[in-house]
Amino acid sequence: MQIRKEYVPWRDRAFVSIAEAGEIVARSSDWVRNRLAEGRLHGCRVTPGGPLVVTVRSLAELVDSAIQAAPPPRPARIYLAVDNT
């Protein structure tokens, strides 16, 4: 009998792994570790000696600040080519 895991959206979790955080922001695990070292992301060990995980709160703040800092999308340009010859 196979146990099916139900998907939980990342913003509804308390923690994500370093690899999951990298997938969410489309960056490498090393990039995530560097942001942890800089203090831009916060991590902790849920169990003593367990793996380092990233707090979703800090990841959401990082993602939201990047979205707000992004330039607004430019309107699409439409060109009309007319040949009246």
Side-chain angles (χ1 to χ4, degrees):
M1 184 164 132
Q2 185 177 358
I3 298 174
R4 243 175 111 180
K5 291 185 179 180
E6 185 177 330
Y7 176 75
V8 177
W10 70 269
R11 285 186 182 257
D12 293 340
R13 304 179 200 178
F15 307 102
V16 293
S17 70
I18 290 176
E20 288 173 320
E23 287 179 22
I24 290 164
V25 296
R27 300 289 183 161
S28 69
S29 295
D30 287 339
W31 186 91
V32 174
R33 286 186 190 91
N34 289 337
R35 299 302 80 79
L36 286 163
E38 293 172 354
R40 293 178 62 196
L41 286 174
H42 301 273
C44 65
R45 297 187 193 280
V46 178
T47 57
L52 184 64
V53 293
V54 179
T55 63
V56 168
R57 178 178 292 173
S58 69
L59 184 60
E61 288 172 359
L62 183 72
V63 169
D64 293 343
S65 68
I67 291 170
Q68 292 172 359
R74 295 187 313 176
R77 293 185 181 197
I78 300 174
Y79 295 96
L80 178 61
V82 178
D83 184 3
N84 289 329
T85 57

